[in-house]
Amino acid sequence: MLARQRQERILEAVRAHGGARVSDLVSLLNVSEMTVRRDIATLAGRGLVARVHGGATALDGRSADEPGFLAKSAMALREKAAIAQVAAGLVEPGDSVALSAGTTTYAVAEALLGVADLTVVTNSLPVARLLHESARRDLTVVLTGGVPTPSDALVGPVAVGALRGLHVDWLFLGVHGIDEHAGLTTPNLVESDTDRALVAAARQVVVVADSSKWRIVGLSSIATLSEVDVLVMDSGLPEAARRELAARVGRLAIAEVPGAPG
């Protein structure tokens, strides 16, 4: 298992339980105590967990933790790239697309640069900047406006108002967590309102999330799994989770990650 994969598993355990002991992580990952401590130190250096005696804890609690855009950008790079390619493959030239904020949707925006004649609505500052700086004449970018969050999302009444009355072919929605009971969630109460407005504006809702998001529950609900037309996740998703999700969403698409185990 690569260092990045170990760190993602540690982060998932900390977020799911509010903290994790070194001894438990050694058993979970089947590596040495020194390796686990080094991985915790790396995550702490990125501002994703707090180091404590004997393990690590979540910085702001399980359900309200919201790492910034730069911190999240360093995680699951191969998984996000694979997911983005599958997601972008759904879009045809001439379509209208909405992109929520997040690092996985940013990867989707990068992949969409290969699709001609698009109109893109987004509340993501990094996505809008990326698409605008491409200087493509066949690309129209609509930025919602609103108040920025730590994840560089524009949210609040201005953003929601801008989305009312819009109709797009596709929404690519990034989420903090996916759970069979809680559905799609985020730690930011105001961002969830904006995400729900994005869902309401879309003919097809596509959720893009790496497998570490499974069984993570944020503070505020966005939508139920039954509202998801397509869920794109990476091949690290366990088989039992695949069966559970495939029964609850319109379609589950698995993005194969090059070099990933299994």
Side-chain angles (χ1 to χ4, degrees):
M1 186 182 295
L2 299 175
R4 184 181 293 116
Q5 292 172 311
R6 292 196 310 269
Q7 290 158 19
E8 290 166 5
R9 294 286 299 278
I10 292 171
L11 187 59
E12 179 181 1
V14 169
R15 286 177 172 171
H17 304 291
R21 296 184 299 180
V22 168
S23 57
D24 292 336
L25 294 171
V26 166
S27 300
L28 175 68
L29 301 171
N30 194 28
V31 295
S32 70
E33 181 176 308
M34 181 178 297
T35 297
V36 169
R37 292 188 184 278
R38 187 164 55 242
D39 287 339
I40 289 175
T42 298
L43 291 169
R46 292 177 180 164
L48 299 175
V49 301
R51 293 176 71 182
V52 296
H53 181 70
T57 63
L59 291 176
D60 299 312
R62 296 191 325 204
S63 62
D65 179 30
E66 184 181 14
F69 184 87
L70 290 177
K72 290 188 288 186
S73 295
M75 306 300 291
L77 295 176
R78 293 186 308 154
E79 288 81 359
K80 290 172 184 175
I83 289 166
Q85 289 300 317
V86 172
L90 299 169
V91 179
E92 299 287 344
D95 283 351
S96 56
V97 173
L99 290 165
S100 75
T103 53
T104 309
T105 49
Y106 184 88
V108 174
E110 291 179 311
L112 287 174
L113 289 173
V115 182
D117 190 23
L118 293 180
T119 298
V120 178
V121 177
T122 187
N123 70 321
S124 165
L125 290 169
V127 166
R129 187 178 303 114
L130 169 74
L131 298 177
H132 175 69
E133 291 177 353
S134 71
R136 278 180 38 184
R137 293 179 178 273
D138 64 339
L139 178 62
T140 300
V141 182
V142 180
L143 186 59
T144 63
V147 179
T149 70
S151 59
D152 284 348
L154 296 176
V155 301
V158 172
V160 171
L163 292 166
R164 288 200 183 106
L166 294 183
H167 305 279
V168 295
D169 297 312
W170 301 96
L171 165 64
F172 294 98
L173 179 68
V175 297
H176 174 77
I178 301 175
D179 181 81
E180 67 267 46
H181 304 298
L184 313 176
T185 59
T186 174
N188 189 306
L189 285 167
V190 184
E191 189 165 356
S192 65
D193 286 339
T194 307
D195 285 342
R196 284 193 287 270
L198 284 164
V199 170
R203 185 171 59 86
Q204 294 281 307
V205 176
V206 183
V207 174
V208 289
D210 69 81
S211 54
S212 70
K213 304 294 180 68
W214 173 238
R215 291 269 170 83
I216 300 296
V217 178
L219 183 66
S220 184
S221 293
I222 301 168
T224 65
L225 292 178
S226 64
E227 295 176 78
V228 178
D229 296 291
V230 184
L231 172 59
V232 187
M233 301 188 76
D234 65 82
S235 51
L237 187 68
E239 189 59 39
R242 297 188 193 194
R243 291 194 297 270
E244 180 73 34
L245 288 168
R248 292 175 178 265
V249 302
R251 177 162 72 92
L252 175 65
I254 298 297
E256 296 298 329
V257 180

